[in-house]
Amino acid sequence: MKKIIITWASNWLGFELAKVFQENWYDVIWLSRTKPSIEISYIETDLTNKESIENTITLIKKDYSDFSCIICCAWIWYIEKLNDTDFDHTDEVFKVNIVWQNQLLSWLSKPIKENNSDLIFIWATIGYKWNEFMPMYSVTKWWLRWLIENWRLELKNTLCRVIWVHPGWLNTDSNIWDNWRETIISNLTWKKIWSLLDAKALSNLILSFINLPKNMEISEVIINRK
């Protein structure tokens, strides 16, 4: 059974990815602070804490060293305009979205190369444009572009594929709950909530990408709403 590691699988797209891959006979290793609500391999991981990440690395190398893919799906955000940003929030966003996520991959770089493991980064179309409500989140998504391209360079002489997925707004609770992103922004503007992408459909699409022959890399895909 192939092993796949997913960061932040406790909610939203990560949770759908975990279910879809498990349904397709993958051993999913779930990394998050929250214990899963489904029967699945789980390592408690706090991506803002160095000791937690080091413990996760040790457990992965001990019990799941033959993983075939890592999906980086752990991102955080705050709705704050540039003239009202909070230092602690900004520090947390950069740590989770860029710094510690990269450290996780860096400390696993040896088994990644040995296994010819694929790396999948869940980006977002927000990284292509300014955003007045989540500016620091959009900044980290832009920085992620160059982090991904550097990982592609690092793995160019291997069979590892670096797959970069840019979905628009998804129909997850992170967007449509009363106190979450799309609802809050809709209440602040004239814009109404409209067509949202289906998280399960996106998860199945990502599954199809890694089931292609290893010499076929879907390097970058943009998925817009209609």
Side-chain angles (χ1 to χ4, degrees):
M1 183 180 288
K2 290 184 178 180
K3 297 181 177 64
I4 185 166
I5 297 169
I6 304 178
T7 66
W8 197 10
S10 55
N11 285 299
W12 313 332
L13 177 59
F15 185 62
E16 289 299 327
L17 283 164
K19 290 193 295 182
V20 164
F21 276 89
Q22 190 177 52
E23 289 166 3
N24 285 272
W25 301 101
Y26 282 79
D27 181 7
V28 177
I29 298 91
W30 171 320
L31 309 184
S32 71
R33 288 177 289 190
T34 307
K35 189 174 181 180
S37 57
I38 57 177
E39 290 296 323
I40 206 166
S41 301
Y42 170 59
I43 302 176
E44 184 177 353
T45 306
D46 181 352
L47 285 174
T48 66
N49 184 281
K50 180 181 178 182
E51 289 72 25
S52 176
I53 298 172
E54 288 175 338
N55 179 63
T56 294
I57 297 300
T58 299
L59 292 174
I60 289 173
K61 288 181 175 179
K62 175 178 175 290
D63 298 327
Y64 308 105
S65 62
D66 57 339
F67 59 87
S68 63
C69 180
I70 301 176
I71 300 181
C72 294
C73 196
W75 322 110
I76 62 170
W77 48 268
Y78 289 95
I79 294 179
E80 296 172 342
K81 292 195 173 186
L82 275 178
N83 63 355
D84 194 31
T85 54
D86 178 275
F87 178 86
D88 291 334
H89 288 171
T90 300
D91 185 54
E92 185 184 5
V93 167
F94 272 87
K95 280 182 177 178
V96 173
N97 295 3
I98 302 293
V99 179
W100 291 117
Q101 194 117 217
N102 181 66
Q103 286 306 116
L104 179 74
L105 297 175
S106 179
W107 293 336
L108 287 173
S109 60
K110 188 171 185 284
I112 288 171
K113 293 174 182 177
E114 290 175 346
N115 299 339
N116 285 314
S117 300
D118 296 328
L119 300 183
I120 299 177
F121 293 88
I122 308 299
W123 203 56
T125 53
I126 194 175
Y128 281 113
K129 51 189 177 291
W130 57 265
N131 187 285
E132 64 177 306
F133 298 105
M134 294 185 288
M136 300 316 295
Y137 176 64
S138 69
V139 167
T140 62
K141 290 296 186 181
W142 183 256
W143 281 36
L144 183 63
R145 169 175 288 276
W146 303 117
L147 176 62
I148 291 170
E149 291 301 340
N150 276 281
W151 271 106
R152 197 187 306 283
L153 178 66
E154 176 68 21
L155 300 172
K156 68 176 182 177
N157 294 320
T158 72
L159 286 176
C160 301
R161 295 172 296 185
V162 179
I163 301 171
W164 196 5
V165 182
H166 316 319
W169 294 95
L170 295 167
N171 64 347
T172 57
D173 293 337
S174 60
N175 289 321
I176 61 177
W177 274 359
D178 289 343
N179 294 315
W180 290 87
R181 294 185 300 193
E182 190 84 337
T183 303
I184 293 172
I185 293 172
S186 177
N187 290 334
L188 292 172
T189 68
W190 56 268
K191 296 178 181 179
K192 300 301 181 184
I193 299 174
W194 59 300
S195 172
L196 297 172
L197 299 175
D198 183 67
K200 186 171 184 178
L202 178 60
S203 299
N204 279 299
L205 180 64
I206 291 168
L207 172 67
S208 71
F209 291 162
I210 69 167
N211 282 328
L212 291 170
K214 284 292 281 185
N215 67 340
M216 294 178 65
E217 177 188 76
I218 304 295
S219 301
E220 184 172 0
V221 59
I222 302 169
I223 306 170
N224 288 311
R225 300 181 290 178
K226 290 290 288 183

